[in-house]
Amino acid sequence: MSDANVRIPEEAKYRLAAIAAAEGLSLRAYLARLAETLLTPAERAERVEKARAALKEWTGYAPTAAEEQELDSELDRRLAQAAAR
């Protein structure tokens, strides 16, 4: 496996190194693990489609784009309300 150099702000490097150390990992190991666990936009889209298909299969419910937007807005409103408490 080859290494790569990544330029990030020094503050970010120290923050990531502190998080890694708290988990008993080197910064290199932490970043490698992080890269393995995050999803790419294509992987997220694939999961969304699978979830939609499962929802429709299990419940018969297939929300329209407008319904999804309305539900997203409601969730955002409730999260903002909870965060303000």
Side-chain angles (χ1 to χ4, degrees):
M1 172 184 346
S2 63
D3 285 339
N5 291 322
V6 178
R7 295 178 56 95
I8 61 172
E10 199 168 283
E11 302 82 30
K13 175 188 172 189
Y14 291 134
R15 179 173 172 77
L16 288 169
I19 294 167
E23 295 188 26
L25 298 170
S26 68
L27 178 55
R28 182 179 188 273
Y30 179 76
L31 291 174
R33 186 181 75 181
L34 184 64
E36 291 173 3
T37 59
L38 294 176
L39 299 175
T40 65
E43 290 167 334
R44 283 195 303 273
E46 181 181 348
R47 286 195 181 187
V48 165
E49 288 309 313
K50 286 181 179 180
R52 283 186 179 135
L55 178 65
K56 185 174 181 181
E57 181 181 335
W58 294 340
T59 67
Y61 179 60
T64 65
E67 289 172 323
E68 286 182 20
Q69 180 60 47
E70 186 178 323
L71 292 168
D72 284 346
S73 295
E74 178 64 13
L75 178 59
D76 289 343
R77 185 188 69 75
R78 289 183 186 200
L79 288 172
Q81 185 180 30
R85 290 183 187 169

